[in-house]
């Protein structure tokens, strides 16, 4: 969410709506997130998303609110499901992951078991280090690689 560009700049980079339609020709700032990683659905976020995030810092909560609002307004459903082999991580696993990321110098907050923006940023740094797509999404495979890297 830290990378923000006008919608027309995203369109110039080849970003399209689900189904292939063009993005609107707009100078409104927008970001793109991949909540289920590079293999899952992508969402373009407009400034109102940040308003929801001010109320609740959970990206998934804010995304659920945005999707619900879109569907109440008659918009389309989400077009792509998350990968079938992607399992949610337990709180204890996230705490362990945060601790290991801290030992690598990627994470500086308290290990709280929450997958917030700082944890996802640390995950991206680790993903870059080991040559994976840096999407910030911690998969069970990534957790195993982290365990192997930090014993």
């Amino acid at each position: 969410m830290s990378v923000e560009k006008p919608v027309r700049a995203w369109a110039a980079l080849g970003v399209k709506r689900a189904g292939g339609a063009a993005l609107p020709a707009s100078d409104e700032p927008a970001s793109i997130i991949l909540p289920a990683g590079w293999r899952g659905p992508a969402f373009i976020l407009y400034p109102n998303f940040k308003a929801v995030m001010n109320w609740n810092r959970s990206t998934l909560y804010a995304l659920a609110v945005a999707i619900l609002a879109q569907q109440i307004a008659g918009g389309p459903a989400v077009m792509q499901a998350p990968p079938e082999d992607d399992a949610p991580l337990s709180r204890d696993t996230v705490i362990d992951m945060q601790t290991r990321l801290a030992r690598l110098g990627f994470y500086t907050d308290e290990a709280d078991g929450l997958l917030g923006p700082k944890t996802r940023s640390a995950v991206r740094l680790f993903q870059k280090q080991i040559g994976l797509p840096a999407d910030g999404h911690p998969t069970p495979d990534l957790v195993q690689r982290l365990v192997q890297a930090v014993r």
Side-chain angles (χ1 to χ4, degrees):
M1 290 189 304
S2 62
V3 177
E4 199 171 80
K5 300 177 183 297
V7 174
R8 71 176 71 247
W10 287 116
L13 291 170
V15 176
K16 299 178 190 241
R17 292 178 188 250
L23 291 174
S26 168
D27 288 321
E28 186 172 26
S31 298
I32 294 176
I33 62 167
L34 306 167
W38 64 273
R39 299 181 309 143
F43 298 90
I44 191 162
L45 309 177
Y46 296 96
N48 59 350
F49 188 84
K50 288 183 180 177
V52 176
M53 289 287 293
N54 285 334
W55 185 77
N56 184 317
R57 297 296 306 160
S58 167
T59 303
L60 295 179
Y61 175 85
L63 187 57
V65 169
I67 291 169
L68 178 61
Q70 177 179 303
Q71 289 184 338
I72 288 172
V78 174
M79 304 266 307
Q80 181 181 344
E84 288 185 25
D85 62 345
D86 194 23
L89 304 177
S90 71
R91 184 172 186 271
D92 289 342
T93 299
V94 175
I95 288 171
D96 181 67
M97 182 180 69
Q98 290 168 327
T99 302
R100 292 174 194 277
L101 289 166
R103 288 180 54 199
L104 290 171
F106 296 143
Y107 185 74
T108 57
D109 275 8
E110 178 184 339
D112 59 7
L114 301 175
L115 280 172
K118 291 180 183 178
T119 303
R120 291 186 185 276
S121 178
V123 168
R124 276 192 295 280
L125 292 171
F126 180 65
Q127 288 169 321
K128 284 181 187 178
Q129 183 182 61
I130 63 172
L132 293 176
D135 59 19
H137 182 65
T139 62
D141 176 63
L142 180 100
V143 171
Q144 287 305 312
R145 289 176 184 232
L146 186 56
V147 167
Q148 291 172 357
V150 182
R151 293 199 178 264

